[in-house]
Amino acid sequence: MDELPIGRRVAYWRGRRKMSQQVFADRLGKSKSWVDKVERGVRRLDKFSVLYEIADILQIDVQLLLGKDPERRTDALNCIDQVEIQEIRAALERYDSMSAYFDAAPLPPPLADMRKAVNHAWLTYQYGRYGILIRALPKLLRDAQAADAGHGGDQSREAAHLLGQVYQIASSVLRKLGECDLAWLAADRSMAVAQRADDPLLAGIATTRVCNAMVAMGRFRPALELNVNIANRLAPGGLNDASPERLSVYGMLLLQGAMAAARLGDPSTVDDLINGAGEVAVLLGGDHNHYWTSFGPTNVELHRAAAAVELGDGGRAVEVHRRRIAEPSFNALLPERRAHHLLDIARGMAQIGDVATAGEMLLRGDRLAPSEIRCRPIAHEVMSDVLRRTRGAPPAPIAELAEHMGVGV
């Protein structure tokens, strides 16, 4: 078996599981032709996310397919491989603060250096450079954990705050790349650290990361309830101020609650929460990036379109895109937000049958933030749909992007 090409191993284990090529293709979300080409060695299997999905469907260890340890890839647009994922997992499994409780901790990194590193990581994420970020995360996690364990006194809260942010960055990028379990673990850690940092707003934005991971794992109702519960506690008024930072975090909790409601198929709750976030955005007075939220009136409309897509109403999403989002305000947003929206609109266009424009939206998003299009599983699904429903050969730019993504019919 170890001497067989990987495609032949797939065919062998598919046969052992008594699956036809069509049944296997349906479970994998691919075409029968795609499976046939893989098994005959015509098409390469070089994406770890696909390999792991195949191994999961065939109920075998992925090493039975690989026959060797995975190799590290260096191209910045190849977002992840299992080397990096295992390094991130190992970093998340560290408990430096507990070790420091029993033993003298080594000299921690200076907080000034950590602040620069965390700010750079946020910008790397918001510019959509996921491959670079994934490779930097293991060291950043270790350094932030060491700083949290090693700094005491007046510096302990800031060290915890920085560690909480690193966990949030990790959660956000891991979720985008389909590593939902690790995304949930990192987000959960960020909530716990936020309590030690004694920052309710950091805890609030950490809640949105937890809920995003829960939604990605299909836990829509708990995500909705948690978002709304924490939003109610942080809402301006009473003893709570109406600072721009609080408005931004509160507004994002409402928006993420709306996205969970959309996945539940609850349009009335979606409208209530998005309209509430719109009122908060008016109070804020513009688009800002407090607590790295990119919250403001434009982001509210982006979520309105995204929620429509999740509800299956592509026509509504396209209408919001064309009529409610001003081009100057949209162009002022950071690349990740814009490319994410264009991916949502590509999905909406596909829902209404306009696959040509869907492809154009993918191209626009790729020009802004290539990793947002080339590395996200949902973008691969849209591209597969575009290729499958395009009559004749796809336009050359679409075919080229599909090739870069490793997507075929």
Side-chain angles (χ1 to χ4, degrees), residues 342-400:
L342 292 171
L343 174 55
D344 287 332
I345 298 306
R347 295 173 63 197
M349 290 291 183
Q351 287 176 354
I352 62 176
D354 188 351
V355 292
T357 306
E360 291 174 10
M361 292 295 165
L362 292 176
L363 287 171
R364 285 182 58 190
D366 183 66
R367 286 192 288 268
L368 282 169
S371 293
E372 180 70 15
I373 304 301
R374 302 186 187 193
C375 301
R376 294 193 60 190
I378 186 65
H380 286 216
E381 293 177 17
V382 178
M383 178 58 85
S384 294
D385 191 29
V386 168
L387 295 179
R388 185 170 56 250
R389 295 164 64 187
T390 298
R391 294 182 179 179
I398 296 294
E400 184 178 354

Side-chain angles (χ1 to χ4, degrees), residues 234-253:
L234 290 178
L239 297 177
N240 292 338
D241 61 30
S243 66
E245 293 80 7
R246 181 179 296 275
L247 291 172
S248 297
V249 172
Y250 174 57
M252 282 307 298
L253 282 160

Side-chain angles (χ1 to χ4, degrees), residues 87-103:
E87 287 180 355
I88 292 172
R89 186 185 300 278
L92 288 170
E93 289 172 349
R94 290 166 62 97
Y95 289 87
D96 288 11
S97 60
M98 184 58 69
S99 299
Y101 178 76
F102 292 101
D103 304 303

Side-chain angles (χ1 to χ4, degrees), residues 70 82 87 91 106 154 160 239 289 295 304 320 388:
Q82 291 309 302
E87 287 180 355
D154 294 339
L239 297 177
N289 200 21
F295 182 75
R304 194 186 303 276
V320 170
R388 185 170 56 250

Side-chain angles (χ1 to χ4, degrees), residues 295-314:
F295 182 75
T298 308
N299 207 357
V300 169
E301 298 306 324
L302 267 54
H303 280 78
R304 194 186 303 276
V309 171
E310 297 298 348
L311 288 166
D313 191 352

